[in-house]
Amino acid sequence: MLLFPQKDEKATGTEQIFYILSERESVIGKLGQMLRLAGFTHVEPISKSLKGIKTLPLAAQARGIVIDVGNSLDPLEMILAIKTLVPRGIWCCVVGDKDAITLAQAYARHGLHYFYIDAEEDEFIQVVAAGNPIKKSRRAVNISVLGCKGGVGNTTIAYHLVNKIIQLRQMPTLFIQGKSGSHDLDLLFDKRMNQELMPVNKHLDLMCPQDGSLPQLKYETTEKYNFVIYEETANSADKEQLRQIIEHSSCLILTLDRSMSSIRVARQMIEINESINRAQRVPRRLLVCVSDSRPVSGDMLSVKDVQSLIDRKIDVVFPWQKSQLRASLFPLKQKVTPIDTLTQRVLGAPENARSFKLRFKTGRTGEI
């Protein structure tokens, strides 16, 4: 498999660009001076905060970026933003106002250096000049979309999620369909799957493991990708394989309908996820979606009923429409669609609570 990107020769320090992302002019001035004194003549400021930026305008000659997180004590939020914004081929480090060993350790676990901006100037320059990452490299954002029943539109939701992420982030993305999936990626992407790894465009590759085995989502297989989306039907997949998928995921999406059979599978997946979280103590986000593949009738379970049975809030509802592929995901009358909200939550972006409430009414009063 051609899963290893060709490495280009590095340009010299004077030809490459170093970026500084900070909303504070004092930090941009201080770091810029330090980088120029270290020999980097091309230093470009990006005068924004990490939380307030949707894309990073980095040139092809970018060598690295220094990100100012200020006095933030929430490294997980910052790490998710970095993973979804900074291409994995670009060197990155973090500076902040807090002199805390626990902060540095939290960033180090994700392959990022953290420097206390007021006391670690020498260490900062040494690491930046060397351009060496921490031994543990930045991993891709592994997103697993697991259908709790056949026919709930799991592949369609995963397909549109992939396209939305590419549209918003324009970063290398790998879409993997498991052996229990619908096996229709060739139709969705209009590509003949005549090899295990199929390029679609400059941002997207497809993978359908021909032997049905679980791809290695942690190491060399995903070295070039910022995002890896894995789609599988959970109710017919091997339990041990599902456990491995959850262990390797940073974001888990469960898709179910209003039937007891899918609710039973969803409860099982939630219990497995909670068991793994207790054992590993690794943060893993869980999103639950109800997908209505047929009209909602009075004798069907309400969203409140589903929430009560799985003992968890429903994050997104995909309402039934006659044309399931487009209408339920991109209804013309809605400015913000369910797939938009799901994408925002996967990427860790904030959303408007009021519009969320209005958006997902399904015709039954008080369901959301």
Coordinates of all heavy atoms in Angstrom, one line a residue, residues 58-128:
L58 N -1.4 29.0 5.8 CA 0.0 28.7 5.8 C 0.5 28.5 4.4 O -0.1 27.8 3.6 CB 0.3 27.5 6.7 CG -0.3 27.5 8.1 CD1 0.1 26.2 8.8 CD2 0.3 28.7 8.8
A59 N 1.7 29.1 4.1 CA 2.3 28.9 2.8 C 2.9 27.6 2.6 O 3.2 26.9 3.6 CB 3.3 30.0 2.5
A60 N 3.2 27.2 1.4 CA 3.9 25.9 1.1 C 5.3 25.9 1.7 O 5.8 24.8 2.0 CB 4.0 25.7 -0.4
Q61 N 5.9 27.1 1.9 CA 7.3 27.1 2.5 C 7.3 27.1 4.0 O 8.3 27.4 4.7 CB 8.0 28.4 2.0 CG 8.2 28.4 0.5 CD 7.0 29.1 -0.2 OE1 6.0 29.4 0.5 NE2 7.2 29.5 -1.4
A62 N 6.1 26.9 4.7 CA 6.0 27.0 6.1 C 6.9 25.9 6.8 O 6.8 24.7 6.4 CB 4.5 26.8 6.5
R63 N 7.7 26.3 7.7 CA 8.5 25.4 8.4 C 7.8 25.0 9.7 O 7.9 23.9 10.2 CB 9.9 26.0 8.8 CG 10.6 25.1 9.8 CD 12.1 25.4 9.9 NE 12.7 24.6 11.0 CZ 14.0 24.5 11.2 NH1 14.8 25.2 10.4 NH2 14.5 23.8 12.1
G64 N 7.2 26.0 10.4 CA 6.6 25.7 11.7 C 5.7 26.8 12.1 O 5.6 27.9 11.5
I65 N 5.0 26.6 13.2 CA 4.1 27.6 13.8 C 4.2 27.5 15.3 O 4.3 26.4 15.9 CB 2.7 27.4 13.3 CG1 1.8 28.5 13.9 CG2 2.1 26.0 13.6 CD1 0.4 28.5 13.3
V66 N 4.3 28.7 16.0 CA 4.2 28.8 17.4 C 2.9 29.3 17.8 O 2.5 30.4 17.3 CB 5.4 29.7 17.9 CG1 5.3 29.8 19.5 CG2 6.7 29.3 17.4
I67 N 2.2 28.6 18.7 CA 0.8 29.0 19.0 C 0.8 29.5 20.5 O 1.2 28.8 21.4 CB -0.1 27.8 18.8 CG1 -0.2 27.4 17.3 CG2 -1.5 28.1 19.3 CD1 -1.0 26.2 17.0
D68 N 0.2 30.6 20.7 CA 0.1 31.2 22.0 C -1.3 30.8 22.6 O -2.4 31.2 22.0 CB 0.2 32.8 21.9 CG -0.2 33.5 23.2 OD1 0.0 32.9 24.2 OD2 -0.5 34.7 23.1
V69 N -1.3 30.1 23.7 CA -2.6 29.7 24.3 C -2.9 30.5 25.6 O -3.8 30.3 26.3 CB -2.5 28.2 24.7 CG1 -2.4 27.4 23.5 CG2 -1.4 27.9 25.7
G70 N -2.1 31.6 25.8 CA -2.3 32.5 26.9 C -2.4 31.8 28.2 O -1.5 31.0 28.6
N71 N -3.4 32.1 29.0 CA -3.5 31.6 30.3 C -4.5 30.4 30.4 O -5.0 30.1 31.5 CB -4.0 32.6 31.3 CG -5.3 33.3 30.9 OD1 -5.9 32.9 30.0 ND2 -5.7 34.3 31.7
S72 N -4.7 29.8 29.3 CA -5.7 28.6 29.2 C -5.1 27.4 30.0 O -4.0 27.1 29.9 CB -5.9 28.2 27.8 OG -6.6 27.0 27.7
L73 N -6.0 26.9 30.8 CA -5.7 25.7 31.6 C -6.4 24.5 31.1 O -6.5 23.4 31.8 CB -6.1 25.9 33.1 CG -5.2 26.9 33.8 CD1 -5.8 27.2 35.2 CD2 -3.8 26.5 34.0
D74 N -6.9 24.6 29.9 CA -7.7 23.4 29.3 C -6.9 22.9 28.0 O -7.2 23.3 26.9 CB -9.1 23.9 28.8 CG -9.9 22.7 28.3 OD1 -9.4 21.6 28.3 OD2 -11.1 22.9 28.0
P75 N -5.8 22.1 28.3 CA -5.0 21.7 27.1 C -5.8 20.8 26.1 O -5.5 20.9 24.9 CB -3.9 20.9 27.8 CG -4.4 20.4 29.1 CD -5.4 21.5 29.5
L76 N -6.8 20.1 26.6 CA -7.5 19.2 25.6 C -8.2 20.0 24.6 O -8.3 19.6 23.4 CB -8.5 18.3 26.4 CG -7.8 17.3 27.4 CD1 -8.9 16.5 28.1 CD2 -6.8 16.4 26.7
E77 N -8.8 21.1 25.0 CA -9.5 22.0 24.0 C -8.5 22.5 23.0 O -8.8 22.6 21.8 CB -10.2 23.1 24.7 CG -11.0 24.0 23.8 CD -11.6 25.2 24.5 OE1 -11.4 25.3 25.8 OE2 -12.3 26.0 23.9
M78 N -7.4 23.0 23.5 CA -6.3 23.5 22.6 C -5.7 22.5 21.7 O -5.5 22.7 20.5 CB -5.2 24.2 23.4 CG -5.7 25.3 24.3 SD -6.4 26.7 23.3 CE -7.1 27.8 24.5
I79 N -5.5 21.3 22.2 CA -4.9 20.2 21.4 C -5.9 19.8 20.3 O -5.4 19.6 19.2 CB -4.6 19.0 22.3 CG1 -3.4 19.3 23.2 CG2 -4.3 17.7 21.5 CD1 -3.2 18.4 24.4
L80 N -7.2 19.7 20.6 CA -8.1 19.4 19.5 C -8.1 20.4 18.4 O -8.1 20.1 17.2 CB -9.5 19.3 20.1 CG -10.7 19.0 19.1 CD1 -10.4 17.7 18.3 CD2 -12.0 19.1 19.8
A81 N -8.1 21.7 18.8 CA -8.0 22.8 17.8 C -6.7 22.7 17.0 O -6.8 22.9 15.8 CB -8.1 24.1 18.5
I82 N -5.6 22.4 17.6 CA -4.3 22.3 16.9 C -4.4 21.1 15.9 O -4.0 21.2 14.7 CB -3.2 22.1 17.9 CG1 -2.9 23.4 18.6 CG2 -1.9 21.7 17.1 CD1 -2.0 23.3 19.8
K83 N -4.9 20.0 16.4 CA -5.0 18.8 15.5 C -5.9 19.1 14.3 O -5.6 18.5 13.2 CB -5.6 17.6 16.3 CG -4.6 16.9 17.2 CD -5.2 15.7 17.8 CE -4.3 14.9 18.6 NZ -4.9 13.7 19.1
T84 N -6.9 19.9 14.4 CA -7.8 20.1 13.3 C -7.5 21.3 12.4 O -8.1 21.5 11.4 CB -9.3 20.3 13.8 OG1 -9.3 21.5 14.7 CG2 -9.8 19.1 14.6
L85 N -6.4 22.0 12.8 CA -6.0 23.2 12.1 C -4.6 23.1 11.5 O -4.4 23.7 10.4 CB -6.1 24.5 13.0 CG -7.5 25.0 13.3 CD1 -7.4 26.0 14.4 CD2 -8.2 25.6 12.1
V86 N -3.7 22.5 12.2 CA -2.3 22.5 11.8 C -2.0 21.2 11.0 O -2.1 20.1 11.6 CB -1.3 22.7 13.0 CG1 0.1 22.7 12.5 CG2 -1.7 23.9 13.7
P87 N -1.6 21.3 9.7 CA -1.2 20.0 9.0 C -0.1 19.3 9.8 O 0.8 19.9 10.3 CB -0.7 20.6 7.7 CG -1.4 21.9 7.5 CD -1.5 22.5 8.9
R88 N -0.1 18.0 9.7 CA 0.8 17.2 10.5 C 2.2 17.3 10.0 O 3.2 17.0 10.7 CB 0.4 15.7 10.5 CG -0.9 15.5 11.3 CD -1.3 14.0 11.3 NE -0.5 13.3 12.2 CZ -0.5 11.9 12.3 NH1 -1.3 11.2 11.5 NH2 0.2 11.3 13.1
G89 N 2.4 17.8 8.7 CA 3.7 17.9 8.2 C 4.4 19.2 8.6 O 5.6 19.4 8.3
I90 N 3.7 20.1 9.4 CA 4.3 21.3 9.8 C 4.6 21.3 11.3 O 3.8 20.9 12.1 CB 3.3 22.5 9.5 CG1 3.2 22.7 8.0 CG2 3.8 23.8 10.2 CD1 2.2 23.7 7.6
W91 N 5.8 21.6 11.6 CA 6.3 21.6 13.0 C 5.5 22.6 13.9 O 5.1 23.7 13.4 CB 7.8 21.9 13.1 CG 8.4 21.7 14.5 CD1 8.9 20.6 15.0 CD2 8.5 22.7 15.5 NE1 9.3 20.7 16.2 CE2 9.1 22.0 16.6 CE3 8.1 24.0 15.6 CZ2 9.4 22.7 17.8 CZ3 8.4 24.7 16.8 CH2 9.0 24.0 17.9
C92 N 5.2 22.2 15.1 CA 4.3 23.1 15.9 C 4.7 23.0 17.4 O 5.1 21.9 17.9 CB 2.9 22.7 15.7 SG 1.7 23.6 16.8
C93 N 4.7 24.1 18.1 CA 4.8 24.1 19.5 C 3.9 25.2 20.1 O 3.3 26.0 19.4 CB 6.3 24.4 20.0 SG 6.8 26.1 19.8
V94 N 3.8 25.1 21.5 CA 2.8 25.9 22.2 C 3.5 26.8 23.3 O 4.4 26.2 23.9 CB 1.7 25.1 22.8 CG1 0.7 25.9 23.6 CG2 1.0 24.2 21.8
V95 N 3.1 28.0 23.4 CA 3.6 28.8 24.5 C 2.4 29.4 25.3 O 1.3 29.5 24.8 CB 4.5 30.0 24.0 CG1 5.7 29.5 23.3 CG2 3.6 31.0 23.1
G96 N 2.6 29.6 26.6 CA 1.6 30.1 27.4 C 2.1 30.8 28.6 O 3.3 30.9 28.9
D97 N 1.1 31.4 29.4 CA 1.4 32.2 30.6 C 1.5 31.4 31.9 O 1.8 31.9 32.9 CB 0.3 33.3 30.8 CG 0.3 34.2 29.6 OD1 1.3 34.4 28.9 OD2 -0.7 34.9 29.4
K98 N 1.2 30.1 31.8 CA 1.2 29.3 33.1 C 2.4 28.4 33.2 O 2.8 27.7 32.2 CB -0.1 28.4 33.1 CG -1.4 29.1 33.0 CD -1.6 30.0 34.3 CE -2.9 30.7 34.3 NZ -3.1 31.5 35.5
D99 N 3.1 28.5 34.3 CA 4.3 27.7 34.5 C 3.8 26.4 35.3 O 3.9 26.3 36.5 CB 5.3 28.5 35.3 CG 6.6 27.7 35.5 OD1 6.8 26.7 34.9 OD2 7.4 28.1 36.4
A100 N 3.4 25.5 34.5 CA 2.8 24.3 35.1 C 3.3 23.0 34.5 O 3.2 22.8 33.2 CB 1.3 24.3 35.0
I101 N 3.9 22.1 35.3 CA 4.4 20.9 34.7 C 3.3 20.0 34.2 O 3.5 19.4 33.1 CB 5.2 20.1 35.9 CG1 6.4 20.9 36.3 CG2 5.6 18.7 35.4 CD1 7.1 20.3 37.5
T102 N 2.2 20.0 34.8 CA 1.0 19.2 34.3 C 0.6 19.7 32.9 O 0.2 18.8 32.1 CB -0.1 19.3 35.3 OG1 -0.5 20.7 35.5 CG2 0.2 18.6 36.6
L103 N 0.7 21.0 32.7 CA 0.3 21.5 31.3 C 1.3 20.9 30.3 O 0.9 20.5 29.2 CB 0.3 23.0 31.3 CG -1.0 23.7 31.6 CD1 -0.8 25.2 31.5 CD2 -2.1 23.3 30.6
A104 N 2.6 21.1 30.6 CA 3.6 20.6 29.7 C 3.5 19.1 29.4 O 3.6 18.7 28.3 CB 5.0 20.9 30.3
Q105 N 3.2 18.3 30.5 CA 3.0 16.9 30.3 C 1.8 16.6 29.4 O 1.8 15.6 28.6 CB 2.9 16.2 31.7 CG 4.2 16.2 32.5 CD 4.0 15.7 33.9 OE1 2.8 15.7 34.4 NE2 5.0 15.2 34.5
A106 N 0.7 17.3 29.6 CA -0.5 17.1 28.8 C -0.2 17.3 27.3 O -0.7 16.5 26.5 CB -1.6 18.0 29.3
Y107 N 0.5 18.4 27.0 CA 0.8 18.7 25.6 C 1.8 17.6 25.1 O 1.7 17.2 23.9 CB 1.4 20.1 25.5 CG 0.3 21.2 25.5 CD1 0.1 22.0 26.6 CD2 -0.5 21.4 24.4 CE1 -0.9 22.9 26.7 CE2 -1.5 22.4 24.4 CZ -1.7 23.1 25.5 OH -2.6 24.1 25.6
A108 N 2.7 17.2 25.9 CA 3.8 16.3 25.5 C 3.1 14.9 25.1 O 3.6 14.3 24.2 CB 4.8 16.1 26.6
R109 N 2.1 14.5 25.8 CA 1.4 13.3 25.5 C 0.8 13.3 24.1 O 0.6 12.2 23.5 CB 0.3 13.0 26.5 CG 0.8 12.5 27.9 CD -0.3 11.9 28.7 NE -1.3 12.9 29.1 CZ -1.2 13.6 30.3 NH1 -0.1 13.4 31.1 NH2 -2.1 14.5 30.6
H110 N 0.6 14.5 23.5 CA 0.1 14.6 22.2 C 1.2 15.1 21.2 O 0.9 15.5 20.1 CB -1.1 15.5 22.1 CG -2.3 14.9 22.9 ND1 -3.2 14.2 22.3 CD2 -2.6 15.0 24.2 CE1 -4.2 13.8 23.1 NE2 -3.8 14.3 24.3
G111 N 2.5 14.9 21.6 CA 3.6 15.3 20.7 C 3.8 16.7 20.5 O 4.4 17.2 19.5
L112 N 3.5 17.6 21.5 CA 3.7 19.0 21.4 C 4.5 19.5 22.6 O 4.3 19.2 23.7 CB 2.3 19.7 21.4 CG 1.4 19.5 20.2 CD1 0.0 20.0 20.5 CD2 1.9 20.3 19.0
H113 N 5.5 20.4 22.3 CA 6.2 21.1 23.3 C 5.4 22.3 23.8 O 4.7 23.0 23.1 CB 7.5 21.7 22.7 CG 8.5 20.6 22.4 ND1 9.4 20.0 23.3 CD2 8.9 20.1 21.1 CE1 10.2 19.2 22.7 NE2 9.9 19.2 21.4
Y114 N 5.4 22.4 25.1 CA 4.8 23.6 25.8 C 5.9 24.4 26.5 O 6.7 23.8 27.3 CB 3.7 23.2 26.8 CG 3.1 24.4 27.6 CD1 2.1 25.1 27.1 CD2 3.7 24.7 28.8 CE1 1.6 26.2 27.8 CE2 3.2 25.8 29.5 CZ 2.1 26.5 29.0 OH 1.6 27.6 29.7
F115 N 5.9 25.7 26.3 CA 6.9 26.6 27.0 C 6.2 27.7 27.7 O 5.3 28.3 27.2 CB 7.9 27.2 25.9 CG 8.6 26.2 25.1 CD1 8.2 25.8 23.9 CD2 9.8 25.6 25.7 CE1 8.9 24.9 23.1 CE2 10.5 24.6 25.0 CZ 10.1 24.3 23.7
Y116 N 6.7 27.9 29.0 CA 6.3 29.0 29.8 C 7.0 30.3 29.2 O 8.2 30.4 29.2 CB 6.7 28.8 31.2 CG 6.4 29.9 32.2 CD1 5.3 30.7 32.1 CD2 7.3 30.3 33.2 CE1 5.0 31.8 32.9 CE2 7.1 31.3 34.1 CZ 5.9 32.1 33.9 OH 5.7 33.1 34.8
I117 N 6.2 31.2 28.7 CA 6.7 32.2 27.9 C 7.7 33.2 28.6 O 8.5 33.8 28.0 CB 5.5 33.0 27.2 CG1 6.0 33.9 26.0 CG2 4.8 33.9 28.3 CD1 4.9 34.4 25.2
D118 N 7.5 33.3 29.9 CA 8.3 34.3 30.7 C 9.6 33.7 31.3 O 10.4 34.4 31.9 CB 7.5 34.8 31.8 CG 6.4 35.8 31.3 OD1 6.6 36.4 30.3 OD2 5.4 35.8 32.0
A119 N 9.9 32.4 31.1 CA 11.1 31.8 31.8 C 11.8 30.7 31.0 O 12.8 30.2 31.5 CB 10.7 31.3 33.2
E120 N 11.3 30.4 29.8 CA 11.9 29.2 29.1 C 12.3 29.7 27.7 O 12.2 28.9 26.7 CB 10.9 28.1 29.0 CG 10.6 27.4 30.4 CD 9.7 26.2 30.3 OE1 8.7 26.3 29.5 OE2 10.0 25.2 31.0
E121 N 12.9 30.9 27.6 CA 13.3 31.4 26.3 C 14.4 30.6 25.7 O 14.4 30.3 24.5 CB 13.7 32.9 26.5 CG 12.6 33.8 26.9 CD 13.1 35.2 27.0 OE1 14.2 35.5 26.6 OE2 12.3 36.1 27.6
D122 N 15.4 30.2 26.5 CA 16.6 29.4 25.9 C 16.1 28.1 25.4 O 16.5 27.6 24.3 CB 17.6 29.3 27.0 CG 18.3 30.6 27.3 OD1 18.2 31.5 26.5 OD2 18.9 30.7 28.4
E123 N 15.3 27.4 26.2 CA 14.8 26.1 25.8 C 13.9 26.2 24.6 O 14.0 25.4 23.6 CB 14.0 25.5 26.9 CG 14.8 25.1 28.2 CD 14.8 26.3 29.2 OE1 14.6 27.4 28.7 OE2 15.1 26.0 30.3
F124 N 13.1 27.3 24.5 CA 12.3 27.5 23.3 C 13.1 27.6 22.0 O 12.8 27.0 21.0 CB 11.4 28.7 23.5 CG 10.7 29.3 22.3 CD1 9.6 28.6 21.8 CD2 11.2 30.4 21.6 CE1 8.9 29.1 20.7 CE2 10.6 30.8 20.5 CZ 9.4 30.2 20.0
I125 N 14.1 28.4 22.1 CA 15.0 28.7 20.9 C 15.7 27.4 20.5 O 15.8 27.1 19.3 CB 16.0 29.8 21.2 CG1 15.2 31.1 21.2 CG2 17.1 29.8 20.1 CD1 14.5 31.5 19.9
Q126 N 16.2 26.6 21.5 CA 16.9 25.4 21.1 C 16.0 24.4 20.4 O 16.4 23.8 19.4 CB 17.5 24.8 22.4 CG 18.6 25.5 23.0 CD 19.0 25.0 24.4 OE1 18.6 23.9 24.8 NE2 19.9 25.7 25.1
V127 N 14.8 24.3 20.9 CA 13.9 23.3 20.3 C 13.4 23.8 19.0 O 13.3 23.0 18.0 CB 12.7 23.1 21.3 CG1 11.6 22.3 20.6 CG2 13.1 22.4 22.5
V128 N 13.1 25.1 18.8 CA 12.6 25.6 17.5 C 13.7 25.5 16.5 O 13.5 25.1 15.3 CB 12.2 27.1 17.7 CG1 11.9 27.7 16.3 CG2 10.9 27.2 18.5

